[in-house]
Amino acid sequence: MEIERINENAVKFYISYGDIEERGFNREEIWYDRERSEELFWEMMDEIHHEEEFVPEGPLWIQVQALDKGLEVLVTKAQLSKDGQRFELPISEEKLKELPINDRLEEFLDEHFQSKGLQEEDEILDFMLAFKDFEDVISLSKQSGLDDIITKLLSYNNKYYLYVEFPEEVFDEESIDNVLSILLEYGEESSFTVHRLQEYGNTIIDGNVFDTIQKYFK
């Protein structure tokens, strides 16, 4: 994947169909399967976040051009207007027209979608954390206040990922924030889903991650 940073609020990247297929996707599903297209998009954004330090926060304006051998995508972060009533693009319409991207992707992201690792789906609150080094996972396992969360440890592309689920009957919003503050001291949020990591990565510890690590790495 080729990445071009336009400015602090916009990034453009090119991904070939070959690269898309190597990631486990095909042409048909990225255009007609909304869930799979979102999954591919957030996987690419996770890569861009690490390489270009581009954080996809807040509403995003996404434009896609289908080329003969791949896709060219422009991602722009929208900003609140001074009166705080509407979102504006930091790139002018004239500048957008100058860019070699002219087809807008269907709005598979809601108008005010916030890119966050914490999600709520079917009353399940979960979070994916990425680590650059396994030693960080070991250090995290020694912290207190993490006993009641549900965890899985996975690996993908030489990185470690911790899936965390917050049982609704145990955690309220304040306690979730407290746990997240601890987790984010040792890793960073990731847009990967646990389903994708289980399918294309490796499951290292399928449950009770911290207890298992402390057992073997005292």
Side-chain angles (χ1 to χ4, degrees), residues 35-115:
E35 183 176 341
R36 290 288 280 168
S37 64
E38 290 182 0
E39 190 174 345
L40 173 63
F41 175 79
W42 288 118
E43 179 176 317
M44 293 186 295
M45 291 307 299
D46 189 64
E47 186 175 327
I48 291 172
H49 168 61
H50 291 296
E51 293 188 17
E52 293 290 332
E53 297 184 355
F54 181 84
V55 181
E57 57 187 2
L60 302 175
W61 178 276
I62 304 162
Q63 292 180 294
V64 174
Q65 182 176 7
L67 305 177
D68 290 338
K69 297 183 179 181
L71 301 177
E72 194 172 58
V73 184
L74 171 67
V75 180
T76 306
K77 292 188 286 187
Q79 298 174 319
L80 274 174
S81 61
K82 293 182 179 179
D83 58 11
Q85 298 300 312
R86 63 186 184 281
F87 290 100
E88 299 176 336
L89 287 175
I91 297 180
S92 65
E93 291 296 330
E94 290 74 18
K95 183 63 176 177
L96 280 173
K97 292 177 182 178
E98 294 174 4
L99 295 171
I101 299 176
N102 49 36
D103 296 325
R104 184 177 181 182
L105 182 67
E106 67 167 316
E107 296 181 359
F108 66 80
L109 299 176
D110 294 333
E111 181 182 5
H112 294 175
F113 184 78
Q114 294 287 333
S115 171

Side-chain angles (χ1 to χ4, degrees), residues 118 125-129 131 140-141 143-153 162-172 175-184 206-211 214:
L118 183 63
L125 296 172
D126 57 11
F127 184 83
M128 187 66 72
L129 200 68
F131 300 87
L140 175 59
S141 71
Q143 303 306 306
S144 59
L146 305 176
D147 298 332
D148 295 320
I149 57 177
I150 298 170
T151 55
K152 295 178 184 290
L153 185 65
L162 178 69
Y163 170 76
V164 177
E165 185 177 316
F166 300 91
E168 187 178 18
E169 66 275 9
V170 177
F171 290 90
D172 56 21
S175 58
I176 290 176
D177 288 341
N178 292 336
V179 171
L180 288 179
S181 66
I182 297 174
L183 297 176
L184 292 171
D206 196 40
N208 298 320
V209 172
F210 300 138
D211 289 341
Q214 290 182 44

Side-chain angles (χ1 to χ4, degrees), residues 155-214:
S155 66
Y156 179 68
N157 282 351
N158 299 317
K159 290 183 65 175
Y160 295 94
Y161 294 86
L162 178 69
Y163 170 76
V164 177
E165 185 177 316
F166 300 91
E168 187 178 18
E169 66 275 9
V170 177
F171 290 90
D172 56 21
E173 184 175 349
E174 182 178 355
S175 58
I176 290 176
D177 288 341
N178 292 336
V179 171
L180 288 179
S181 66
I182 297 174
L183 297 176
L184 292 171
E185 289 182 17
Y186 297 89
E188 58 186 11
E189 60 183 316
S190 171
S191 57
F192 280 152
T193 65
V194 66
H195 306 294
R196 175 152 184 81
L197 291 175
Q198 287 176 325
E199 183 174 359
Y200 296 103
N202 297 300
T203 299
I204 300 175
I205 303 175
D206 196 40
N208 298 320
V209 172
F210 300 138
D211 289 341
T212 303
I213 289 179
Q214 290 182 44

